[in-house]
């Protein structure tokens, strides 16, 4: 199992619990990776708070994040960027520890940030999740994007197949039905959500791929518990492609209909040693979701990240913004999803005062001197090579006007 599994599961539960049971999509990995990249800047209390949010030592988390971003999964396009209004020398060591291919540059305007989000997500996300204001000092962001096709596309079925007890069955005309091969369907026992219905569909060409796992529990089970169970089942299923983690024998369940399945018996011919064969299919709807998650609450760790960078810059007060925009679509032929997570560190605006602004006007004869420079202080350094007195100016050429 990957060493990130437990920290990510913990962070995912925190993020989804904040979103509640409303329709939403998120990328806990995107948020965790961005937070991890701030780790090397932290000391003292800020470092302890970051460690708690990350579920790992900040330096170890940063190393894991760099390793992931240096070699992205073939089905997950990944990008990281740091933009600064004026690069501060105090951040040099932290800046140098960011992934090598992190995009860097001057802090752009909102339109340029929106364009970055669109470009890095293939158009799935149209707007950057945080706003740039006059007091924004820097923005650290990452983008993750996925577009995959199912190796075996779904068949279709009438919406009524979702069951008479489903509020969706009368609302949806058509839903998805698993094809005869290529998808895994089973009932699993879980500690957090009880018995659940599980569907797993792979995408890929036999090499590195993606597995999308859907998990349904009884209607009264809290969303946070179902999501936690799904995290465990999906990880276990991905590590063992032919496994059915938590498998419950259909012969141990009562016949009849529940909100999760309809179970019946029928005669068949089988080579099973005990003469009992199990088969399962699934019907589920197409879906899409678009969400924005505010990551400024203390539990997400970005307040500690703001403190850490603020201490390096001798700034008081954790003036910052952190948010994630995420989108996903699940359909008959494939799955696409993207998330942009951004963290902006700001400083408090200075007190109001008065400024004098001069526009210098060269409206009468004046002097011009051209000198050479040499950073090594050689013989040409500071030599006045050209000089002039400007007393007869010329008209700007017509093709340069405007």
């Amino acid at each position: 199992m990957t060493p990130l599994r437990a920290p990510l599961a913990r962070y995912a539960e925190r993020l989804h619990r904040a979103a509640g049971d409303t329709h939403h999509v998120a990328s806990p990995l995107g948020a965790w990776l961005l937070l991890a990249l701030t780790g090397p800047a932290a000391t003292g209390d800020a470092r302890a708070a970051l460690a708690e949010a990350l579920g790992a030592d900040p330096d170890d988390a940063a190393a894991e994040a760099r390793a992931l971003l240096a070699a992205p999964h073939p089905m997950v396009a990944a990008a990281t960027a740091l933009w600064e209004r004026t690069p501060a020398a105090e951040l040099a060591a932290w800046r140098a520890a960011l992934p090598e291919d992190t995009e860097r540059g001057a802090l752009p305007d909102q339109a340029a940030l929106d364009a970055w989000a669109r470009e890095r997500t293939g158009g799935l996300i149209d707007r950057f999740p945080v706003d740039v204001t006059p007091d924004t000092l820097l923005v650290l962001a990452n983008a993750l994007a996925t577009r995959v096709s199912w190796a075996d596309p779904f068949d279709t079925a009438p919406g009524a197949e979702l069951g008479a007890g489903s509020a969706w069955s009368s609302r949806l005309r058509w839903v998805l039905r698993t094809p005869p091969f290529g998808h895994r369907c089973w009932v699993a026992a879980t500690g957090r959500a009880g018995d659940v219905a599980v569907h797993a569909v792979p995408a890929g060409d036999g090499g590195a791929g993606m597995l999308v796992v859907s998990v349904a529990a009884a209607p009264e089970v809290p969303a946070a518990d179902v999501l936690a169970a799904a995290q465990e089942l999906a990880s276990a299923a991905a590590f063992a492609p032919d496994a059915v983690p938590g498998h419950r024998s259909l012969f141990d369940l009562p016949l009849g209909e529940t909100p999760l399945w309809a179970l019946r018996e029928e005669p068949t011919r089988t080579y099973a040693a005990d003469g009992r064969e199990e088969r399962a299919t699934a019907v589920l709807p197409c879906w899409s979701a678009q969400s924005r998650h505010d990551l400024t609450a203390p539990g997400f760790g970005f307040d500690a990240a703001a403190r850490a960078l603020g201490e390096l810059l001798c700034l008081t007060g954790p003036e910052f913004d952190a948010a994630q925009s995420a989108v996903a679509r699940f359909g008959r032929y494939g799955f696409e999803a993207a998330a942009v997570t951004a963290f902006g560190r700001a400083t408090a605006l200075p007190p109001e005062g008065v400024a004098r602004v001069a526009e210098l006007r060269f409206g009468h004869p004046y002097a011009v001197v051209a000198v050479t420079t040499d950073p090594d202080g050689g013989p040409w350094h500071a030599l006045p090579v050209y000089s002039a007195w400007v007393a007869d100016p010329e008209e700007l050429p017509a093709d340069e006007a405007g």
Side-chain angles (χ1 to χ4, degrees):
M1 296 292 181
T2 171
L4 290 183
R5 182 184 176 192
L8 282 176
R10 185 168 171 239
Y11 199 90
E13 179 158 3
R14 196 171 283 181
L15 182 52
H16 285 293
R17 190 177 291 278
D21 59 3
T22 59
H23 185 69
H24 72 274
V25 61
S27 174
L29 174 62
W32 191 93
L33 287 173
L34 194 69
L35 185 64
L37 293 180
T38 68
T43 58
D45 292 342
R47 183 178 180 85
L50 268 177
E52 197 281 329
L54 290 165
D57 175 81
D59 288 334
D60 292 343
E64 293 282 0
R66 286 193 298 269
L68 287 174
L69 292 167
H73 189 280
M75 293 194 173
V76 182
T80 309
L82 171 67
W83 300 284
E84 299 174 87
R85 192 171 296 281
T86 302
E90 295 87 346
L91 299 182
W94 169 72
R95 193 184 297 116
L98 292 174
E100 184 177 346
D101 57 357
T102 298
E103 300 172 47
R104 302 162 196 263
L107 190 65
D109 61 17
Q110 199 68 46
L113 290 174
D114 292 345
W116 186 87
R118 285 191 298 272
E119 291 166 5
R120 298 303 178 273
T121 63
L124 290 176
I125 292 180
D126 193 57
R127 194 175 192 287
F128 199 75
V130 302
D131 295 328
V132 172
T133 65
D135 59 332
T136 302
L137 297 177
L138 63 85
V139 171
L140 180 66
N142 71 19
L144 304 177
T146 293
R147 272 194 173 97
V148 296
S149 298
W150 308 133
D152 297 284
F154 285 91
D155 294 330
T156 61
E161 296 291 322
L162 291 173
S166 169
W168 300 339
S169 63
S170 59
R171 197 181 96 196
L172 301 173
R173 185 178 177 190
W174 295 102
V175 294
L176 307 175
R177 181 189 293 284
T178 51
F181 303 101
H183 296 215
R184 282 184 278 168
C185 306
W186 72 96
V187 175
T190 70
R192 292 282 296 269
D195 287 346
V196 298
V198 186
H199 168 261
V201 53
D205 56 5
M210 180 168 285
L211 186 70
V212 181
V213 178
S214 303
V215 175
E220 66 273 11
V221 179
D225 291 332
V226 184
L227 283 159
Q231 290 265 349
E232 293 181 6
L233 290 168
S235 293
F239 274 103
D242 296 321
V244 282
H247 176 256
R248 283 268 275 150
S249 171
L250 300 182
F251 288 97
D252 293 336
L253 302 172
L255 298 174
E257 292 200 19
T258 75
L260 291 176
W261 53 73
L263 186 58
R264 68 182 190 277
E265 277 188 2
E266 59 185 35
T268 190
R269 295 187 179 275
T270 178
Y271 290 106
D274 59 0
R276 303 198 306 176
E277 183 175 288
E278 297 187 28
R279 291 183 293 221
T281 60
V283 287
L284 58 165
C286 298
W287 61 267
S288 67
Q290 185 171 342
S291 304
R292 182 184 184 277
H293 304 280
D294 182 353
L295 301 177
T296 58
F300 299 124
F302 287 96
D303 58 330
R307 285 202 307 276
L309 293 177
E311 287 168 2
L312 291 177
L313 295 167
C314 298
L315 296 175
T316 57
E319 301 292 333
F320 75 102
D321 193 8
Q324 180 183 94
S325 292
V327 63
R329 298 185 185 94
F330 181 104
R332 183 178 183 184
Y333 296 104
F335 174 74
E336 59 183 20
V340 174
T341 310
F343 164 59
R345 182 60 169 95
T347 183
L349 291 173
E352 292 187 358
V354 63
R356 291 190 178 185
V357 180
E359 180 181 67
L360 305 182
R361 295 171 176 170
F362 293 79
H364 54 266
Y366 60 96
V368 177
V369 176
V371 300
T372 53
T373 61
D374 182 350
D376 294 329
W380 280 83
H381 186 56
L383 284 181
V385 181
Y386 306 103
S387 56
W389 178 254
V390 181
D392 187 15
E394 294 182 351
E395 179 61 42
L396 181 71
D399 61 354
E400 297 178 15

